Amino acid sequence: MFQIAVIPGKAKDLDSFLLPIVDEIKSLGEHGLLVKKHNGEEIRSKVHLVMASGDIPQVTKFCHHKGHNAKYGCRICVVECTHPGNGRGGMYYQSRTAALQTMNAFVMGDVPNIFCKLPSFASSSFYGLDELHLFGQGIAKFIRLLIVKVNQAPLENTTVFGKSSDGSFNMSNYTFKLSKKQLEDVGDCIEASRGKIPVSFQGSWDNLVKKIDGARAVDFLDFLLYVVPTLIVPLFTKVEVRRALLFLVRGCAIGLQWETNESLIQEMEKHDFLDQEVRKVNISLSVFRPNNHYLTHVGYIIRKAGSMRAYSARSMERTIGRYSKLIKSRVLAGKNAGNLVERLSMRSYFNLAVNIHDLLDTIQPKHRSLDNFIELPLSSPFNCNYQLWSSFATHSLSSSNLIESVSPNIIITQLKNLQLFCSRTFPTYYYHK
């Protein structure tokens, strides 16, 4: 990802920062871009902006939408929000049959939309949906609230309960009711399995049943994709509740794939379970929150813009974390950020233009893969189920193969220390002459 700018603080007029960038992109789309490579080759191309995406609150600023608390709070369709009717405020989205926002809603809005001047602007799909925030910070976190938080402290989360005709909350028939002991057992299973989780998991595999302090979006995704279907779903006695949760997990998993097709998209578009539970007064209308509603538009966005992973905000979030750690100035933070953008951009360009390893002839480790993995024979004293990518070899030290500016005595001392360490760590399999 290329960092174009860092906007200091919360800008009151975001368009004033974006307008010069949009104008330059429009010029590059009309007049083209000429790239001259170091070998003399010229590359001519046109540059177009195909999407301006982010989390839901940020995109509302891009498109000058009134936000999810407005009467028409969805930026993709014209659904009319309603109140839950259980004594608490809030706007909720139950209807899923509303018409999509038209192009004129963005072009002829109260505030001119700066992206409408681009030839690539494509109505509501131009702003996409970010899978990291929608599925991770949105749906997964909300599922944890419905299953974990509500059952741990029901009196503090009465907004999710249906309200009977006499005005009392229907807690006994709550759709996702579980006991505290069952949730504690789930947390114990998570902690017991943490040591066996493969390193390919991006999350930290923390016990989110116990606490969520410091949890990231990828941690909530792991909770939704792996903990819910394996540890939580079997605890429910109602088959329809199990099926609904598995459909949700399956739909989110499809949305996270790099490749999808029409049959998979149609499989995602099943959203009638909560309507039935609301009619039965087993749950409140407040479950139809903005993130839940935007799930109904995932299929539309994928059909228009392709896989959600292709335009995910993951790289942007990593960059934000990187800059947050590097910006140290408390007085001139804006200038500090500008210098960082320039320095890192120059470094990225240099890495693309020049192969630093070939230029400096650096010492690099050999590339290893399953194709050159060596299986040691069973008779080998080194066959102790450790992964070896090459056979052991014997090398003698001489003045010609020592490291420059390093004393031979230091190398010999370090080799003896390594030998002592190996003999203590692997006493059965370590042999030396």
Side-chain angles (χ1 to χ4, degrees):
M1 190 185 87
F2 294 97
Q3 190 77 21
I4 298 177
V6 175
I7 300 175
K10 295 183 178 180
K12 295 183 179 179
D13 186 7
L14 184 61
D15 286 357
S16 63
F17 292 92
L18 298 178
L19 190 58
I21 300 174
V22 173
D23 288 339
E24 188 169 347
I25 292 176
K26 183 180 179 182
S27 177
L28 291 173
E30 295 175 351
H31 306 292
L33 175 69
L34 174 63
V35 179
K36 294 183 178 180
K37 299 180 66 176
H38 63 280
N39 59 0
E41 181 183 358
E42 294 185 356
I43 301 176
R44 299 178 182 273
S45 61
K46 296 289 184 70
V47 179
H48 295 282
L49 181 65
V50 296
M51 181 177 291
S53 186
D55 57 19
I56 294 176
Q58 188 60 49
V59 173
T60 58
K61 300 177 183 178
F62 284 164
C63 59
H64 299 294
H65 187 259
K66 293 183 179 180
H68 56 268
N69 287 324
K71 183 177 181 180
Y72 298 94
C74 178
R75 70 170 189 267
I76 297 179
C77 69
V78 289
V79 59
E80 184 175 354
C81 303
T82 55
H83 291 282
N86 61 355
R88 296 289 185 93
M91 303 293 284
Y92 302 99
Y93 312 64
Q94 185 175 13
S95 174
R96 292 180 297 276
T97 59
L100 296 176
Q101 297 276 6
T102 62
M103 180 73 77
N104 288 336
F106 297 95
V107 178
M108 307 298 293
D110 296 335
V111 180
N113 193 319
I114 61 174
F115 294 105
C116 293
K117 63 173 67 177
L118 298 175
S120 57
F121 183 77
S123 189
S124 58
S125 62
F126 180 82
Y127 300 102
L129 283 173
D130 176 54
E131 50 87 18
L132 183 67
H133 293 95
L134 178 61
F135 296 139
Q137 291 288 356
I139 298 302
K141 197 171 183 178
F142 182 56
I143 289 297
R144 182 197 175 274
L145 182 147
L146 293 178
I147 298 177
V148 178
K149 190 174 180 180
V150 171
N151 287 302
Q152 288 178 340
L155 297 180
E156 298 176 8
N157 300 277
T158 56
T159 56
V160 301
F161 297 117
K163 203 169 185 180
S164 304
S165 56
D166 59 356
S168 61
F169 292 110
N170 190 9
M171 296 184 182
S172 59
N173 294 330
Y174 178 55
T175 304
F176 303 104
K177 186 176 181 60
L178 292 176
S179 67
K180 294 182 180 180
K181 180 62 171 61
Q182 288 176 309
L183 294 175
E184 290 176 0
D185 293 340
V186 172
D188 294 340
C189 290
I190 295 174
E191 294 179 352
S193 62
R194 188 176 183 185
K196 302 178 182 179
I197 297 301
V199 295
S200 58
F201 278 53
Q202 295 182 345
S204 57
W205 200 254
D206 289 330
N207 182 5
L208 297 187
V209 175
K210 186 176 182 180
K211 62 177 182 178
I212 60 173
D213 297 338
R216 303 170 298 164
V218 290
D219 298 321
F220 286 109
L221 280 177
D222 287 344
F223 176 82
L224 175 65
L225 298 178
Y226 306 110
V227 175
V228 170
T230 57
L231 298 177
I232 293 181
V233 167
L235 300 178
F236 292 102
T237 56
K238 295 182 179 180
V239 177
E240 56 269 23
V241 176
R242 295 182 179 183
R243 185 181 294 111
L245 286 174
L246 291 177
F247 275 144
L248 174 65
V249 173
R250 170 66 175 166
C252 293
I254 293 174
L256 292 169
Q257 293 181 178
W258 282 97
E259 296 182 1
T260 55
N261 53 44
E262 183 60 29
S263 61
L264 291 176
I265 295 176
Q266 293 179 4
E267 185 179 344
M268 299 170 60
E269 298 175 326
K270 298 177 181 179
H271 311 282
D272 58 347
F273 172 72
L274 290 180
D275 291 312
Q276 300 173 10
E277 293 299 300
V278 170
R279 286 195 292 269
K280 296 176 183 177
V281 201
N282 292 338
I283 203 167
S284 167
L285 184 67
S286 62
V287 295
F288 295 105
R289 300 188 179 185
N291 286 305
N292 197 345
H293 173 75
Y294 278 110
L295 274 183
T296 63
H297 295 308
V298 170
Y300 163 73
I301 294 297
I302 293 178
R303 290 185 180 99
K304 289 289 186 178
S307 171
M308 298 175 69
R309 289 298 297 271
Y311 42 87
S312 172
R314 292 179 186 242
S315 59
M316 180 182 65
E317 291 295 333
R318 286 192 292 266
T319 303
I320 292 174
R322 184 182 183 187
Y323 278 89
S324 299
K325 294 178 181 178
L326 292 175
I327 297 175
K328 303 296 184 182
S329 176
R330 296 181 179 273
V331 180
L332 300 174
K335 188 173 182 179
N336 187 190
N339 293 335
L340 284 172
V341 171
E342 183 178 3
R343 187 178 71 193
L344 295 178
S345 298
M346 292 173 62
R347 185 181 300 174
S348 299
Y349 171 76
F350 183 78
N351 291 334
L352 289 173
V354 179
N355 191 325
I356 190 67
H357 298 293
D358 293 342
L359 183 64
L360 301 180
D361 192 20
T362 58
I363 301 175
Q364 298 181 13
K366 295 182 180 179
H367 177 70
R368 305 299 185 184
S369 67
L370 294 177
D371 297 332
N372 55 14
F373 175 76
I374 295 178
E375 286 282 357
L376 294 178
L378 294 177
S379 58
S380 172
F382 303 104
N383 187 7
C384 53
N385 296 326
Y386 293 101
Q387 194 176 48
L388 299 176
W389 295 99
S390 59
S391 303
F392 285 96
T394 303
H395 297 278
S396 59
L397 295 177
S398 64
S399 59
S400 61
N401 60 9
L402 293 178
I403 302 175
E404 185 178 357
S405 73
V406 179
S407 172
N409 295 331
I410 296 179
I411 297 178
I412 294 174
T413 302
Q414 294 299 327
L415 287 175
K416 289 183 179 180
N417 292 335
L418 179 62
Q419 184 184 53
L420 181 62
F421 169 77
C422 292
S423 64
R424 290 176 176 175
T425 308
F426 313 110
T428 306
Y429 303 103
Y430 185 78
Y431 297 87
H432 62 277
K433 297 181 180 180

